[in-house]
Amino acid sequence: MALITYLTTIQFDFGAVGCLESELPRLGIGRPLIVTDRGVIAAGLLERVRAALPGNMPVAVYDGTPENPTEQAVRDALAAYRAEGCDGLIALGGGSAIDLAKAVGVLVHHPEPLSQYMAVLGGSPRITSRVAPLVAIPTTAGTGSEVGRGSVIVLDDGRKLAMLSPNLLPKLAVCDPELTLGLPPVLTAGTGMDAIAHCIETFLAPAVNPPAEAIALDGLERAIAHIERAVRDGRDREARWQMMMAAMEGAMAFQKGLGAVHALSHPLGGLPGHRLHHGTLNAIFLPAVLRFNQPAAGEAKYLRLRCAMGLTEGADIAGFIEDLVARLGLPTRLKTLGVSQADLPGIAAAALRDHCHLTNPRQASEADYRALLEEAWA
């Protein structure tokens, strides 16, 4: 039996932030905590959102979101929420800010520690509907966390794990491509490759969910057609609109499941002493995982991927992705990011424990993950 569920309320288009004036009262939010980061504030996006809020609405701001959200940052933002007497959350930023806000929303009404809610530790049933209301406003086009049911957090012990629950879905996603027009090329490329990885992995995941697969293929087609345009000219409004739609569709689809790309990038993203961008890691791993999965996923699915990507029959999808990543100016090997070969065995072992491991079309062993890591490193 296939279990198929979709999703939340979405306001999507240029100028969508203007809906906040009417939507926040509808959601019962009268004193929000805005969870963001200093880069978003420096870009002037916080003030644009403030200007769209209902008049005289009191607002608190937490701007300490790390590149990979941590359990300590969740506690810090929660303390700000309680100190300011907030009654809801607005996440403004990329996936890190949105995931951080989701975790805060859980702990508003659920006891600590956060680790007890992680999916691989059996925590999903512990997340009840008593979660603080959240409005998610993405400023990148990649993670799609604004329509996702997950929150990935680096715990105090260094593990990077995910909470998964329908109760984590934001009550409202405000997708305004206007907010991405100033995104630098390298972040446009990295977040865009995250969206492409989502679309490809969820399409190949073995669960039965044809609506998710259709959405994934549509998102993939949009992303492949527009990512280079968005990187080349960040003011290209059509390309920005299409990339934000592709990112949203990738996350709408990955309710079906992801795979080995994310099973590897999640623990690597929590590697101590490094600041590794999630989308860039996905871009590096995607070619190797595509080659690994092809015997299990089947030629029919790869044929449909080629069609969505505008490739000829029999084209090498993995090779195309490698060339695309290079054209976008992103790293193509882990060693260029400062990852040591000595780190690889621990990442391979951790990948087996990641929630995305079980939804890969070809079940990987620890030795398989080590081989994929070596291929992506050398």
Side-chain angles (χ1 to χ4, degrees), residues 4-36:
I4 299 172
T5 57
Y6 280 100
L7 274 179
T8 192
T9 300
I10 303 163
Q11 295 275 8
F12 191 109
D13 209 352
F14 288 99
V17 292
C19 76
L20 293 173
E21 185 172 10
S22 59
E23 289 284 6
L24 290 179
R26 179 183 69 83
L27 295 171
I29 298 176
R31 191 180 186 92
L33 174 70
I34 299 179
V35 176
T36 188

mmCIF file of all heavy atoms in Angstrom, residues 4-36:
data_model
loop_
_atom_site.group_PDB
_atom_site.id
_atom_site.type_symbol
_atom_site.label_atom_id
_atom_site.label_comp_id
_atom_site.label_asym_id
_atom_site.label_seq_id
_atom_site.Cartn_x
_atom_site.Cartn_y
_atom_site.Cartn_z
ATOM 1 N N ILE A 4 0.577 8.383 0.623
ATOM 2 C CA ILE A 4 0.898 9.607 -0.104
ATOM 3 C C ILE A 4 0.261 10.784 0.612
ATOM 4 O O ILE A 4 -0.962 10.818 0.786
ATOM 5 C CB ILE A 4 0.400 9.531 -1.565
ATOM 6 C CG1 ILE A 4 1.081 8.355 -2.288
ATOM 7 C CG2 ILE A 4 0.671 10.844 -2.308
ATOM 8 C CD1 ILE A 4 0.514 8.068 -3.663
ATOM 9 N N THR A 5 1.076 11.749 1.050
ATOM 10 C CA THR A 5 0.544 12.928 1.746
ATOM 11 C C THR A 5 1.173 14.200 1.189
ATOM 12 O O THR A 5 2.372 14.249 0.925
ATOM 13 C CB THR A 5 0.838 12.865 3.260
ATOM 14 O OG1 THR A 5 2.245 12.734 3.450
ATOM 15 C CG2 THR A 5 0.134 11.686 3.898
ATOM 16 N N TYR A 6 0.380 15.251 0.979
ATOM 17 C CA TYR A 6 0.847 16.579 0.543
ATOM 18 C C TYR A 6 0.016 17.626 1.241
ATOM 19 O O TYR A 6 -1.171 17.428 1.425
ATOM 20 C CB TYR A 6 0.722 16.735 -0.976
ATOM 21 C CG TYR A 6 1.855 16.085 -1.716
ATOM 22 C CD1 TYR A 6 1.710 14.832 -2.300
ATOM 23 C CD2 TYR A 6 3.093 16.704 -1.767
ATOM 24 C CE1 TYR A 6 2.768 14.225 -2.941
ATOM 25 C CE2 TYR A 6 4.154 16.100 -2.414
ATOM 26 C CZ TYR A 6 3.991 14.862 -3.002
ATOM 27 O OH TYR A 6 5.055 14.268 -3.621
ATOM 28 N N LEU A 7 0.563 18.796 1.497
ATOM 29 C CA LEU A 7 1.718 19.191 2.247
ATOM 30 C C LEU A 7 1.300 20.406 3.056
ATOM 31 O O LEU A 7 0.699 20.230 4.085
ATOM 32 C CB LEU A 7 2.953 19.507 1.374
ATOM 33 C CG LEU A 7 3.829 18.304 1.001
ATOM 34 C CD1 LEU A 7 5.027 18.669 0.122
ATOM 35 C CD2 LEU A 7 4.324 17.576 2.195
ATOM 36 N N THR A 8 1.546 21.637 2.588
ATOM 37 C CA THR A 8 1.225 22.818 3.381
ATOM 38 C C THR A 8 0.795 23.953 2.474
ATOM 39 O O THR A 8 0.779 23.820 1.248
ATOM 40 C CB THR A 8 2.427 23.236 4.255
ATOM 41 O OG1 THR A 8 2.010 24.203 5.203
ATOM 42 C CG2 THR A 8 3.556 23.810 3.418
ATOM 43 N N THR A 9 0.462 25.115 3.064
ATOM 44 C CA THR A 9 0.049 26.289 2.295
ATOM 45 C C THR A 9 1.283 27.025 1.787
ATOM 46 O O THR A 9 2.227 27.266 2.541
ATOM 47 C CB THR A 9 -0.786 27.235 3.175
ATOM 48 O OG1 THR A 9 -1.936 26.524 3.637
ATOM 49 C CG2 THR A 9 -1.227 28.458 2.388
ATOM 50 N N ILE A 10 1.263 27.390 0.511
ATOM 51 C CA ILE A 10 2.410 28.032 -0.127
ATOM 52 C C ILE A 10 1.942 29.287 -0.848
ATOM 53 O O ILE A 10 0.968 29.249 -1.610
ATOM 54 C CB ILE A 10 3.082 27.084 -1.145
ATOM 55 C CG1 ILE A 10 3.520 25.782 -0.464
ATOM 56 C CG2 ILE A 10 4.264 27.772 -1.823
ATOM 57 C CD1 ILE A 10 3.798 24.649 -1.429
ATOM 58 N N GLN A 11 2.622 30.393 -0.592
ATOM 59 C CA GLN A 11 2.436 31.625 -1.363
ATOM 60 C C GLN A 11 3.698 31.796 -2.211
ATOM 61 O O GLN A 11 4.798 31.932 -1.675
ATOM 62 C CB GLN A 11 2.241 32.824 -0.443
ATOM 63 C CG GLN A 11 0.970 32.779 0.392
ATOM 64 C CD GLN A 11 -0.244 33.315 -0.363
ATOM 65 O OE1 GLN A 11 -0.176 33.593 -1.555
ATOM 66 N NE2 GLN A 11 -1.353 33.469 0.336
ATOM 67 N N PHE A 12 3.543 31.788 -3.535
ATOM 68 C CA PHE A 12 4.706 31.735 -4.423
ATOM 69 C C PHE A 12 4.592 32.780 -5.520
ATOM 70 O O PHE A 12 3.685 32.734 -6.348
ATOM 71 C CB PHE A 12 4.813 30.351 -5.073
ATOM 72 C CG PHE A 12 6.109 30.106 -5.802
ATOM 73 C CD1 PHE A 12 7.045 29.225 -5.297
ATOM 74 C CD2 PHE A 12 6.397 30.765 -6.993
ATOM 75 C CE1 PHE A 12 8.250 29.007 -5.959
ATOM 76 C CE2 PHE A 12 7.591 30.554 -7.661
ATOM 77 C CZ PHE A 12 8.519 29.667 -7.143
ATOM 78 N N ASP A 13 5.525 33.733 -5.556
ATOM 79 C CA ASP A 13 5.706 34.647 -6.683
ATOM 80 C C ASP A 13 6.518 35.843 -6.223
ATOM 81 O O ASP A 13 6.740 36.039 -5.022
ATOM 82 C CB ASP A 13 4.381 35.129 -7.270
ATOM 83 C CG ASP A 13 4.490 35.460 -8.771
ATOM 84 O OD1 ASP A 13 5.627 35.465 -9.302
ATOM 85 O OD2 ASP A 13 3.456 35.709 -9.404
ATOM 86 N N PHE A 14 6.951 36.637 -7.159
ATOM 87 C CA PHE A 14 7.600 37.889 -6.808
ATOM 88 C C PHE A 14 6.641 38.731 -5.974
ATOM 89 O O PHE A 14 5.464 38.870 -6.312
ATOM 90 C CB PHE A 14 8.009 38.643 -8.075
ATOM 91 C CG PHE A 14 9.172 38.016 -8.791
ATOM 92 C CD1 PHE A 14 8.974 37.194 -9.884
ATOM 93 C CD2 PHE A 14 10.471 38.240 -8.356
ATOM 94 C CE1 PHE A 14 10.046 36.613 -10.544
ATOM 95 C CE2 PHE A 14 11.560 37.661 -9.000
ATOM 96 C CZ PHE A 14 11.346 36.847 -10.111
ATOM 97 N N GLY A 15 7.156 39.258 -4.868
ATOM 98 C CA GLY A 15 6.324 40.055 -3.977
ATOM 99 C C GLY A 15 5.507 39.259 -2.986
ATOM 100 O O GLY A 15 4.674 39.822 -2.274
ATOM 101 N N ALA A 16 5.742 37.958 -2.894
ATOM 102 C CA ALA A 16 4.932 37.112 -2.005
ATOM 103 C C ALA A 16 5.044 37.512 -0.539
ATOM 104 O O ALA A 16 4.116 37.255 0.240
ATOM 105 C CB ALA A 16 5.321 35.639 -2.166
ATOM 106 N N VAL A 17 6.159 38.161 -0.126
ATOM 107 C CA VAL A 17 6.271 38.541 1.283
ATOM 108 C C VAL A 17 5.159 39.506 1.694
ATOM 109 O O VAL A 17 4.859 39.632 2.885
ATOM 110 C CB VAL A 17 7.646 39.165 1.606
ATOM 111 C CG1 VAL A 17 8.750 38.142 1.493
ATOM 112 C CG2 VAL A 17 7.924 40.374 0.734
ATOM 113 N N GLY A 18 4.526 40.140 0.730
ATOM 114 C CA GLY A 18 3.430 41.040 1.058
ATOM 115 C C GLY A 18 2.242 40.365 1.708
ATOM 116 O O GLY A 18 1.392 41.027 2.311
ATOM 117 N N CYS A 19 2.182 39.022 1.606
ATOM 118 C CA CYS A 19 1.060 38.293 2.203
ATOM 119 C C CYS A 19 1.151 38.223 3.719
ATOM 120 O O CYS A 19 0.180 37.856 4.381
ATOM 121 C CB CYS A 19 0.966 36.878 1.630
ATOM 122 S SG CYS A 19 2.199 35.715 2.292
ATOM 123 N N LEU A 20 2.311 38.560 4.293
ATOM 124 C CA LEU A 20 2.495 38.394 5.738
ATOM 125 C C LEU A 20 1.516 39.228 6.548
ATOM 126 O O LEU A 20 1.091 38.829 7.632
ATOM 127 C CB LEU A 20 3.934 38.747 6.135
ATOM 128 C CG LEU A 20 5.020 37.804 5.612
ATOM 129 C CD1 LEU A 20 6.404 38.360 5.922
ATOM 130 C CD2 LEU A 20 4.859 36.410 6.208
ATOM 131 N N GLU A 21 1.160 40.376 6.034
ATOM 132 C CA GLU A 21 0.254 41.260 6.770
ATOM 133 C C GLU A 21 -1.064 40.577 7.093
ATOM 134 O O GLU A 21 -1.624 40.766 8.179
ATOM 135 C CB GLU A 21 0.012 42.539 5.984
ATOM 136 C CG GLU A 21 -0.828 43.551 6.757
ATOM 137 C CD GLU A 21 -0.904 44.891 6.056
ATOM 138 O OE1 GLU A 21 -0.467 44.993 4.899
ATOM 139 O OE2 GLU A 21 -1.410 45.839 6.682
ATOM 140 N N SER A 22 -1.563 39.758 6.178
ATOM 141 C CA SER A 22 -2.831 39.056 6.418
ATOM 142 C C SER A 22 -2.631 37.641 6.955
ATOM 143 O O SER A 22 -3.459 37.139 7.719
ATOM 144 C CB SER A 22 -3.650 38.992 5.124
ATOM 145 O OG SER A 22 -2.937 38.316 4.102
ATOM 146 N N GLU A 23 -1.510 37.006 6.584
ATOM 147 C CA GLU A 23 -1.329 35.600 6.945
ATOM 148 C C GLU A 23 -0.928 35.407 8.403
ATOM 149 O O GLU A 23 -1.348 34.439 9.046
ATOM 150 C CB GLU A 23 -0.273 34.956 6.032
ATOM 151 C CG GLU A 23 -0.735 34.744 4.598
ATOM 152 C CD GLU A 23 -1.677 33.569 4.450
ATOM 153 O OE1 GLU A 23 -2.075 32.964 5.469
ATOM 154 O OE2 GLU A 23 -2.024 33.237 3.307
ATOM 155 N N LEU A 24 -0.116 36.295 8.960
ATOM 156 C CA LEU A 24 0.298 36.107 10.355
ATOM 157 C C LEU A 24 -0.886 36.154 11.321
ATOM 158 O O LEU A 24 -0.995 35.282 12.200
ATOM 159 C CB LEU A 24 1.362 37.130 10.736
ATOM 160 C CG LEU A 24 2.734 36.943 10.082
ATOM 161 C CD1 LEU A 24 3.692 38.040 10.519
ATOM 162 C CD2 LEU A 24 3.314 35.579 10.410
ATOM 163 N N PRO A 25 -1.816 37.122 11.198
ATOM 164 C CA PRO A 25 -2.999 37.077 12.075
ATOM 165 C C PRO A 25 -3.824 35.804 11.868
ATOM 166 O O PRO A 25 -4.369 35.257 12.832
ATOM 167 C CB PRO A 25 -3.767 38.333 11.672
ATOM 168 C CG PRO A 25 -2.740 39.263 11.124
ATOM 169 C CD PRO A 25 -1.752 38.375 10.419
ATOM 170 N N ARG A 26 -3.909 35.341 10.630
ATOM 171 C CA ARG A 26 -4.668 34.111 10.371
ATOM 172 C C ARG A 26 -4.078 32.936 11.118
ATOM 173 O O ARG A 26 -4.810 32.052 11.606
ATOM 174 C CB ARG A 26 -4.676 33.820 8.865
ATOM 175 C CG ARG A 26 -5.425 32.540 8.484
ATOM 176 C CD ARG A 26 -5.358 32.257 7.003
ATOM 177 N NE ARG A 26 -4.017 31.893 6.562
ATOM 178 C CZ ARG A 26 -3.515 30.661 6.663
ATOM 179 N NH1 ARG A 26 -4.216 29.700 7.225
ATOM 180 N NH2 ARG A 26 -2.300 30.404 6.229
ATOM 181 N N LEU A 27 -2.763 32.912 11.250
ATOM 182 C CA LEU A 27 -2.082 31.822 11.938
ATOM 183 C C LEU A 27 -2.005 32.034 13.445
ATOM 184 O O LEU A 27 -1.477 31.185 14.163
ATOM 185 C CB LEU A 27 -0.667 31.665 11.372
ATOM 186 C CG LEU A 27 -0.588 31.235 9.907
ATOM 187 C CD1 LEU A 27 0.851 31.318 9.402
ATOM 188 C CD2 LEU A 27 -1.141 29.829 9.731
ATOM 189 N N GLY A 28 -2.506 33.164 13.923
ATOM 190 C CA GLY A 28 -2.479 33.432 15.354
ATOM 191 C C GLY A 28 -1.124 33.860 15.866
ATOM 192 O O GLY A 28 -0.841 33.746 17.066
ATOM 193 N N ILE A 29 -0.269 34.368 14.990
ATOM 194 C CA ILE A 29 1.060 34.827 15.394
ATOM 195 C C ILE A 29 1.007 36.341 15.589
ATOM 196 O O ILE A 29 0.765 37.093 14.638
ATOM 197 C CB ILE A 29 2.124 34.461 14.341
ATOM 198 C CG1 ILE A 29 2.218 32.937 14.177
ATOM 199 C CG2 ILE A 29 3.476 35.034 14.729
ATOM 200 C CD1 ILE A 29 3.179 32.487 13.091
ATOM 201 N N GLY A 30 1.227 36.774 16.821
ATOM 202 C CA GLY A 30 1.194 38.198 17.131
ATOM 203 C C GLY A 30 2.512 38.746 17.622
ATOM 204 O O GLY A 30 2.718 39.969 17.667
ATOM 205 N N ARG A 31 3.456 37.831 17.989
ATOM 206 C CA ARG A 31 4.770 38.268 18.475
ATOM 207 C C ARG A 31 5.796 37.224 18.026
ATOM 208 O O ARG A 31 6.189 36.339 18.788
ATOM 209 C CB ARG A 31 4.764 38.407 19.996
ATOM 210 C CG ARG A 31 6.005 39.101 20.566
ATOM 211 C CD ARG A 31 5.934 39.205 22.083
ATOM 212 N NE ARG A 31 7.047 39.996 22.598
ATOM 213 C CZ ARG A 31 7.005 41.304 22.806
ATOM 214 N NH1 ARG A 31 5.879 41.968 22.553
ATOM 215 N NH2 ARG A 31 8.064 41.946 23.265
ATOM 216 N N PRO A 32 6.257 37.316 16.785
ATOM 217 C CA PRO A 32 7.128 36.262 16.256
ATOM 218 C C PRO A 32 8.588 36.452 16.647
ATOM 219 O O PRO A 32 9.055 37.564 16.903
ATOM 220 C CB PRO A 32 6.972 36.420 14.744
ATOM 221 C CG PRO A 32 6.692 37.884 14.555
ATOM 222 C CD PRO A 32 5.873 38.294 15.756
ATOM 223 N N LEU A 33 9.304 35.326 16.691
ATOM 224 C CA LEU A 33 10.762 35.340 16.700
ATOM 225 C C LEU A 33 11.212 35.068 15.275
ATOM 226 O O LEU A 33 10.856 34.034 14.689
ATOM 227 C CB LEU A 33 11.330 34.266 17.626
ATOM 228 C CG LEU A 33 12.863 34.111 17.578
ATOM 229 C CD1 LEU A 33 13.546 35.314 18.209
ATOM 230 C CD2 LEU A 33 13.311 32.813 18.255
ATOM 231 N N ILE A 34 11.976 35.999 14.697
ATOM 232 C CA ILE A 34 12.540 35.788 13.376
ATOM 233 C C ILE A 34 13.890 35.099 13.537
ATOM 234 O O ILE A 34 14.793 35.627 14.189
ATOM 235 C CB ILE A 34 12.695 37.110 12.597
ATOM 236 C CG1 ILE A 34 11.323 37.767 12.400
ATOM 237 C CG2 ILE A 34 13.359 36.852 11.246
ATOM 238 C CD1 ILE A 34 11.380 39.093 11.652
ATOM 239 N N VAL A 35 14.015 33.905 12.969
ATOM 240 C CA VAL A 35 15.258 33.140 13.016
ATOM 241 C C VAL A 35 15.972 33.342 11.690
ATOM 242 O O VAL A 35 15.446 32.998 10.626
ATOM 243 C CB VAL A 35 14.975 31.643 13.256
ATOM 244 C CG1 VAL A 35 16.280 30.848 13.202
ATOM 245 C CG2 VAL A 35 14.282 31.442 14.597
ATOM 246 N N THR A 36 17.171 33.908 11.746
ATOM 247 C CA THR A 36 17.880 34.255 10.519
ATOM 248 C C THR A 36 19.381 34.211 10.786
ATOM 249 O O THR A 36 19.833 33.623 11.776
ATOM 250 C CB THR A 36 17.408 35.639 10.008
ATOM 251 O OG1 THR A 36 17.957 35.881 8.719
ATOM 252 C CG2 THR A 36 17.766 36.758 10.962
#
